[in-house]
Amino acid sequence: MAKYPWGEQPFTMSSIPVCMTFSVIVIGGTLIGTGPDGTVTGFPSPKDLHGVVGVTLGWVCMWYAFLGNQITFKMADIDENQKKTAAFIADRGVGNTMEQCIPFFLVLWLHAFFVNPGTSSVLGLVYVISRYLYPIFYGWYGQFSNLVEISAQMNYSIIMWLFWAIVYKCMKDSDLHTDLTNIAVIFIPLVVFLAGATILVIFLFGSKPSSTVIANGVAWEAAYKTPLASLPE
Protein backbone atom coordinates (compact mmCIF):
# COMPACT_ATOMS: atom_id res chain seq x y z
CA MET A 1 0.00 0.00 0.00
CA ALA A 2 1.33 3.44 -0.95
CA LYS A 3 2.45 5.80 1.80
CA TYR A 4 0.17 8.59 0.58
CA PRO A 5 -3.26 8.42 -1.09
CA TRP A 6 -1.64 9.56 -4.36
CA GLY A 7 1.52 7.41 -4.23
CA GLU A 8 4.94 7.20 -2.59
CA GLN A 9 6.09 10.79 -3.09
CA PRO A 10 4.78 13.53 -0.74
CA PHE A 11 4.56 16.05 -3.58
CA THR A 12 3.86 15.48 -7.27
CA MET A 13 3.62 18.10 -10.00
CA SER A 14 0.34 16.57 -11.11
CA SER A 15 -1.25 17.93 -7.93
CA ILE A 16 -1.04 21.49 -9.27
CA PRO A 17 -3.66 21.16 -12.06
CA VAL A 18 -5.83 19.06 -9.75
CA CYS A 19 -5.76 21.70 -7.03
CA MET A 20 -6.27 24.47 -9.58
CA THR A 21 -9.39 22.66 -10.79
CA PHE A 22 -10.65 22.32 -7.21
CA SER A 23 -10.05 26.04 -6.69
CA VAL A 24 -11.99 26.85 -9.85
CA ILE A 25 -14.95 24.81 -8.61
CA VAL A 26 -14.97 26.46 -5.18
CA ILE A 27 -14.32 30.04 -6.30
CA GLY A 28 -16.39 29.84 -9.46
CA GLY A 29 -19.27 28.29 -7.52
CA THR A 30 -18.97 30.98 -4.85
CA LEU A 31 -19.09 33.77 -7.42
CA ILE A 32 -22.06 32.23 -9.20
CA GLY A 33 -23.88 31.54 -5.96
CA THR A 34 -23.42 34.99 -4.41
CA GLY A 35 -23.95 36.96 -7.62
CA PRO A 36 -22.51 40.36 -8.54
CA ASP A 37 -24.80 42.57 -6.44
CA GLY A 38 -23.06 45.51 -4.79
CA THR A 39 -21.08 46.84 -7.73
CA VAL A 40 -19.51 50.23 -6.98
CA THR A 41 -20.89 53.18 -8.94
CA GLY A 42 -19.18 55.88 -6.92
CA PHE A 43 -17.16 55.45 -3.75
CA PRO A 44 -18.43 52.79 -1.32
CA SER A 45 -19.89 53.92 1.99
CA PRO A 46 -18.30 52.79 5.29
CA LYS A 47 -21.20 50.37 5.76
CA ASP A 48 -20.48 48.75 2.39
CA LEU A 49 -16.94 48.02 3.58
CA HIS A 50 -17.92 46.28 6.82
CA GLY A 51 -17.48 42.84 5.24
CA VAL A 52 -13.97 43.64 4.05
CA VAL A 53 -13.13 45.06 7.47
CA GLY A 54 -14.34 41.78 8.99
CA VAL A 55 -12.13 39.78 6.63
CA THR A 56 -9.14 41.95 7.53
CA LEU A 57 -9.72 41.52 11.26
CA GLY A 58 -10.17 37.77 10.75
CA TRP A 59 -6.80 37.69 9.00
CA VAL A 60 -5.21 39.48 11.98
CA CYS A 61 -6.59 36.84 14.37
CA MET A 62 -5.29 34.11 12.06
CA TRP A 63 -1.86 35.75 11.99
CA TYR A 64 -1.53 35.62 15.75
CA ALA A 65 -2.71 32.02 15.75
CA PHE A 66 0.19 31.24 13.41
CA LEU A 67 2.61 33.04 15.72
CA GLY A 68 1.16 30.85 18.47
CA ASN A 69 2.22 27.81 16.45
CA GLN A 70 5.80 29.09 16.52
CA ILE A 71 5.68 29.63 20.28
CA THR A 72 4.19 26.17 20.82
CA PHE A 73 7.07 24.36 19.14
CA LYS A 74 9.77 26.54 20.66
CA MET A 75 8.55 25.40 24.07
CA ALA A 76 7.43 21.87 23.17
CA ASP A 77 8.86 19.01 25.20
CA ILE A 78 9.15 16.45 22.40
CA ASP A 79 11.86 14.60 20.49
CA GLU A 80 14.44 17.14 19.29
CA ASN A 81 14.31 16.12 15.62
CA GLN A 82 10.52 16.17 15.61
CA LYS A 83 10.63 19.54 17.35
CA LYS A 84 12.85 21.00 14.62
CA THR A 85 10.57 19.68 11.88
CA ALA A 86 7.44 20.95 13.61
CA ALA A 87 9.07 24.35 14.21
CA PHE A 88 10.03 24.55 10.53
CA ILE A 89 6.43 23.85 9.49
CA ALA A 90 5.18 26.52 11.91
CA ASP A 91 7.76 28.97 10.52
CA ARG A 92 6.67 28.24 6.94
CA GLY A 93 3.07 28.95 7.92
CA VAL A 94 4.14 32.40 9.11
CA GLY A 95 6.63 33.01 6.30
CA ASN A 96 4.34 32.02 3.44
CA THR A 97 1.46 33.99 4.91
CA MET A 98 3.70 37.05 5.13
CA GLU A 99 4.81 36.57 1.53
CA GLN A 100 1.22 36.45 0.28
CA CYS A 101 -0.31 39.14 2.50
CA ILE A 102 0.94 42.14 0.50
CA PRO A 103 -0.70 41.20 -2.82
CA PHE A 104 -3.77 39.90 -0.99
CA PHE A 105 -4.48 43.09 0.93
CA LEU A 106 -3.66 45.31 -2.05
CA VAL A 107 -6.12 43.62 -4.38
CA LEU A 108 -8.70 43.02 -1.63
CA TRP A 109 -9.04 46.69 -0.77
CA LEU A 110 -8.56 48.04 -4.30
CA HIS A 111 -11.32 45.71 -5.47
CA ALA A 112 -13.53 46.78 -2.57
CA PHE A 113 -13.02 50.49 -3.29
CA PHE A 114 -13.29 50.43 -7.07
CA VAL A 115 -15.19 47.29 -8.10
CA ASN A 116 -17.42 45.45 -5.63
CA PRO A 117 -16.97 45.31 -1.83
CA GLY A 118 -19.52 42.48 -1.61
CA THR A 119 -17.47 40.20 -3.84
CA SER A 120 -14.30 41.30 -2.02
CA SER A 121 -15.83 40.24 1.29
CA VAL A 122 -16.92 36.81 0.08
CA LEU A 123 -13.67 35.95 -1.69
CA GLY A 124 -11.68 37.45 1.18
CA LEU A 125 -13.44 35.10 3.59
CA VAL A 126 -12.66 32.09 1.38
CA TYR A 127 -9.05 33.29 1.22
CA VAL A 128 -8.68 33.54 5.01
CA ILE A 129 -10.25 30.11 5.57
CA SER A 130 -8.00 28.44 2.99
CA ARG A 131 -4.98 30.35 4.32
CA TYR A 132 -5.74 29.15 7.87
CA LEU A 133 -5.59 25.60 6.53
CA TYR A 134 -2.06 26.13 5.14
CA PRO A 135 -0.09 24.98 8.22
CA ILE A 136 -2.65 22.25 8.88
CA PHE A 137 -2.16 20.84 5.39
CA TYR A 138 1.64 21.30 5.71
CA GLY A 139 1.72 19.43 8.99
CA TRP A 140 -0.73 16.68 8.05
CA TYR A 141 2.03 14.36 6.84
CA GLY A 142 4.85 16.12 8.69
CA GLN A 143 6.26 17.71 5.53
CA PHE A 144 5.34 19.60 2.37
CA SER A 145 2.86 17.53 0.38
CA ASN A 146 0.15 17.76 -2.24
CA LEU A 147 -2.29 18.91 0.43
CA VAL A 148 -0.47 22.25 0.70
CA GLU A 149 -1.30 22.99 -2.92
CA ILE A 150 -5.01 23.05 -2.07
CA SER A 151 -4.48 26.12 0.09
CA ALA A 152 -1.84 27.67 -2.19
CA GLN A 153 -3.82 27.37 -5.42
CA MET A 154 -6.99 28.65 -3.74
CA ASN A 155 -5.11 31.73 -2.55
CA TYR A 156 -3.46 32.35 -5.93
CA SER A 157 -6.77 32.06 -7.77
CA ILE A 158 -8.52 34.51 -5.46
CA ILE A 159 -5.72 37.06 -5.64
CA MET A 160 -5.56 36.89 -9.42
CA TRP A 161 -9.36 37.02 -9.88
CA LEU A 162 -9.44 40.24 -7.83
CA PHE A 163 -6.40 41.50 -9.76
CA TRP A 164 -7.98 41.01 -13.19
CA ALA A 165 -11.34 42.33 -12.03
CA ILE A 166 -9.55 45.57 -11.05
CA VAL A 167 -7.77 45.71 -14.41
CA TYR A 168 -11.08 45.07 -16.19
CA LYS A 169 -12.81 47.85 -14.25
CA CYS A 170 -10.04 50.32 -15.12
CA MET A 171 -10.11 49.37 -18.81
CA LYS A 172 -13.84 48.86 -19.38
CA ASP A 173 -15.35 50.85 -16.51
CA SER A 174 -17.46 47.79 -15.75
CA ASP A 175 -17.58 44.87 -13.32
CA LEU A 176 -16.13 41.62 -14.66
CA HIS A 177 -18.37 39.56 -12.36
CA THR A 178 -21.51 41.35 -13.57
CA ASP A 179 -20.60 41.17 -17.25
CA LEU A 180 -19.81 37.45 -17.13
CA THR A 181 -23.06 36.80 -15.26
CA ASN A 182 -25.01 38.68 -17.94
CA ILE A 183 -23.31 36.79 -20.78
CA ALA A 184 -23.38 33.27 -19.25
CA VAL A 185 -22.39 32.19 -15.75
CA ILE A 186 -20.57 29.19 -17.18
CA PHE A 187 -17.80 31.58 -18.24
CA ILE A 188 -17.06 32.52 -14.62
CA PRO A 189 -15.19 29.27 -13.73
CA LEU A 190 -13.28 29.52 -17.00
CA VAL A 191 -12.10 33.05 -16.20
CA VAL A 192 -11.22 31.96 -12.64
CA PHE A 193 -9.02 29.25 -14.15
CA LEU A 194 -7.34 31.66 -16.56
CA ALA A 195 -6.80 34.17 -13.75
CA GLY A 196 -5.21 31.52 -11.55
CA ALA A 197 -3.00 30.36 -14.42
CA THR A 198 -1.60 33.90 -14.65
CA ILE A 199 0.50 33.24 -11.57
CA LEU A 200 2.18 30.28 -13.26
CA VAL A 201 3.05 32.43 -16.26
CA ILE A 202 4.56 35.07 -13.99
CA PHE A 203 6.50 32.45 -12.02
CA LEU A 204 7.90 30.86 -15.18
CA PHE A 205 8.55 33.88 -17.40
CA GLY A 206 8.39 37.00 -15.23
CA SER A 207 11.23 35.72 -13.09
CA LYS A 208 13.39 34.62 -16.04
CA PRO A 209 15.53 37.79 -16.51
CA SER A 210 16.45 38.15 -12.85
CA SER A 211 16.88 34.42 -12.20
CA THR A 212 19.19 34.16 -15.22
CA VAL A 213 21.37 37.01 -13.95
CA ILE A 214 21.42 35.49 -10.44
CA ALA A 215 22.44 32.07 -11.77
CA ASN A 216 25.16 33.55 -13.96
CA GLY A 217 26.46 35.69 -11.12
CA VAL A 218 26.63 32.77 -8.71
CA ALA A 219 28.41 30.65 -11.35
CA TRP A 220 30.91 33.47 -11.99
CA GLU A 221 31.68 33.82 -8.29
CA ALA A 222 32.13 30.07 -7.90
CA ALA A 223 34.49 29.91 -10.90
CA TYR A 224 36.50 33.01 -10.00
CA LYS A 225 40.08 32.39 -8.90
CA THR A 226 42.24 35.01 -7.25
CA PRO A 227 44.95 36.18 -9.70
CA LEU A 228 48.37 34.75 -8.86
CA ALA A 229 49.87 38.22 -8.55
CA SER A 230 47.55 39.05 -5.67
CA LEU A 231 48.31 35.87 -3.70
CA PRO A 232 50.47 36.32 -0.58
CA GLU A 233 54.08 35.17 -0.95
Side-chain angles (χ1 to χ4, degrees):
M1 183 177 178
K3 183 176 181 180
Y4 306 98
W6 50 84
E8 293 295 336
Q9 297 301 317
F11 174 74
T12 57
M13 290 299 294
S14 61
S15 69
I16 294 178
V18 172
C19 292
M20 285 181 67
T21 302
F22 178 74
S23 299
V24 167
I25 294 170
V26 173
I27 298 168
T30 299
L31 289 168
I32 292 171
T34 57
D37 292 345
T39 302
V40 171
T41 54
F43 198 80
S45 69
K47 185 176 181 180
D48 292 332
L49 296 171
H50 284 180
V52 185
V53 171
V55 166
T56 304
L57 296 179
W59 187 97
V60 172
C61 293
M62 177 195 69
W63 173 253
Y64 282 106
F66 286 1
L67 297 184
N69 290 339
Q70 290 182 311
I71 295 170
T72 295
F73 293 110
K74 283 181 180 179
M75 302 173 62
D77 183 19
I78 58 177
D79 175 80
E80 193 62 30
N81 289 329
Q82 293 180 26
K83 183 176 180 178
K84 288 181 180 179
T85 301
F88 175 80
I89 293 171
D91 287 344
R92 283 310 302 147
V94 170
N96 189 268
T97 299
M98 184 181 296
E99 293 162 6
Q100 298 299 323
C101 74
I102 295 176
F104 170 61
F105 281 123
L106 282 173
V107 297
L108 177 74
W109 280 95
L110 284 172
H111 188 276
F113 283 138
F114 297 112
V115 185
N116 190 324
T119 301
S120 299
S121 302
V122 173
L123 292 186
L125 177 61
V126 176
Y127 180 97
V128 171
I129 293 172
S130 58
R131 171 52 47 179
Y132 182 79
L133 293 173
Y134 184 91
I136 295 174
F137 286 150
Y138 208 131
W140 194 269
Y141 291 113
Q143 62 182 315
F144 186 91
S145 71
N146 287 347
L147 290 181
V148 181
E149 283 300 317
I150 298 173
S151 177
Q153 294 303 324
M154 193 79 70
N155 288 172
Y156 289 146
S157 295
I158 290 171
I159 288 173
M160 296 314 296
W161 167 275
L162 295 173
F163 174 91
W164 285 114
I166 295 165
V167 172
Y168 187 86
K169 179 63 180 286
C170 291
M171 295 180 64
K172 305 281 288 185
D173 195 27
S174 186
D175 177 25
L176 177 62
H177 190 183
T178 299
D179 289 354
L180 289 175
T181 299
N182 291 337
I183 296 171
V185 293
I186 192 63
F187 287 120
I188 292 177
L190 175 61
V191 174
V192 171
F193 176 82
L194 293 175
T198 304
I199 204 75
L200 296 178
V201 175
I202 296 173
F203 280 154
L204 291 173
F205 301 105
S207 63
K208 194 67 175 177
S210 55
S211 62
T212 300
V213 172
I214 292 168
N216 290 339
V218 170
W220 176 85
E221 174 62 22
Y224 181 78
K225 294 182 179 180
T226 307
L228 293 178
S230 64
L231 292 175
E233 296 180 0

